[in-house]
Amino acid sequence: MSVTSTSRIGVMGGTFDPIHHGHLVAASEVAQWFDLDEVVFVPTGEPWQKDDASLSEHRYLMTVIATASNPRFTVSRVDIDRSGPTYTIDTLRDLKTQRPDSELFFITGADAIAQILSWRDHDELWDLAHFVAVSRPGHVLNTDGLPSDDVSQLEIPALSISSTDCRDRVQRGHPVWYLVPDGVVQYIAKHHLYRSKE
Ligand code: ATP
Ligand code: MG
């Protein structure tokens, strides 16, 4: 590896409850268009689940299973292992500390980025990472107030998959094959996830 090389690292934060092909296609597309060396998936912590850390572990393990076959995809426990609610600023600070020589690209839905100005310490966010707002074709991102140098947009092929819909399907006994990776379908069945309302 050359001494001057800086790795370009995508950061895909999410609840991943469960991870689905929308997340994976978004990460793959951003990696392609931004020439990323790696995409780190970072499942969020679960402050309201203090007594049941197993739900966090299920989300973490499903993310590991879903990303295992891609040599450029990895999973980080920084948010799951930190106590309290997950703030993106903490995620980025922790990853930057672990990889001081990397350039970070935070991947997030266009809907979430519209609220970014209300996030804690949002000014520092632009110093820590470049932001990539992913949206479905035809979705218009309102960029009012967002620094254009620090935020890019990328259209992802139309995928109307959401974790909410996957959970509802499992709850109703409907299939989630092909919406989530095969290993995740099997993991959900093995551990009886999403069968009853939380
Ligand atoms: P939920 O339905 O529970 O809100 P979700 O499907 O939105 O779940 P999250 O874990 O909340 O999944 O999403 C993590 C990130 O992935 C967010 O930035 C979100 O905008 C983005 N994302 C979710 N679904 C898609 C999709 N189908 N295509 C592209 N990006 C997506
Ligand atoms: Mg969501």
Side-chain angles (χ1 to χ4, degrees):
M1 197 169 76
S2 134
V3 181
T4 53
S5 78
T6 307
S7 15
R8 296 164 67 84
I9 310 281
V11 181
M12 181 91 192
T15 319
F16 304 133
D17 191 24
I19 188 165
H20 54 67
H21 280 127
H23 299 131
L24 295 162
V25 171
S28 170
E29 287 291 287
V30 176
Q32 163 72 23
W33 287 99
F34 289 82
D35 197 21
L36 303 183
D37 300 296
E38 180 184 339
V39 178
V40 188
F41 288 72
V42 193
T44 56
E46 238 175 321
W48 63 93
Q49 291 288 354
K50 286 204 180 86
D51 296 336
D52 188 3
S54 64
L55 276 183
S56 295
E57 291 305 318
H58 285 317
R59 294 187 295 103
Y60 169 75
L61 287 171
M62 287 189 284
T63 307
V64 169
I65 290 166
T67 55
S69 60
N70 188 323
R72 289 179 191 263
F73 286 178
T74 58
V75 187
S76 168
R77 294 185 62 92
V78 285
D79 287 347
I80 285 198
D81 289 343
R82 191 188 318 103
S83 58
T86 294
Y87 293 101
T88 298
I89 190 83
D90 297 326
T91 312
L92 294 175
R93 280 178 186 148
D94 286 355
L95 292 175
K96 194 75 182 175
T97 303
Q98 288 176 356
R99 306 147 184 269
D101 293 332
S102 63
E103 199 179 341
L104 302 181
F105 294 77
F106 189 79
I107 306 162
T108 189
D111 44 346
I113 211 148
Q115 303 163 3
I116 208 165
L117 294 172
S118 64
W119 289 1
R120 203 171 76 164
D121 301 326
H122 66 258
D123 282 339
E124 195 191 338
L125 288 171
W126 315 127
D127 295 334
L128 283 166
H130 186 85
F131 279 68
V132 183
V134 294
S135 60
R136 301 186 181 101
H139 183 282
V140 179
L141 175 65
N142 179 2
T143 52
D144 291 352
L146 295 174
S148 54
D149 286 352
D150 301 319
V151 181
S152 307
Q153 288 182 71
L154 186 65
E155 282 193 352
I156 305 299
L159 279 173
S160 57
I161 307 172
S162 72
S163 298
T164 301
D165 179 54
C166 292
R167 291 192 302 271
D168 286 351
R169 283 167 165 270
V170 175
Q171 164 77 23
R172 286 181 281 125
H174 294 179
V176 287
W177 288 108
Y178 317 117
L179 298 174
V180 306
D182 293 359
V184 173
V185 179
Q186 291 159 333
Y187 187 98
I188 290 169
K190 175 174 175 179
H191 295 279
H192 313 291
L193 301 183
Y194 314 127
R195 290 281 185 78
S196 55
K197 293 262 185 247
E198 287 121 71

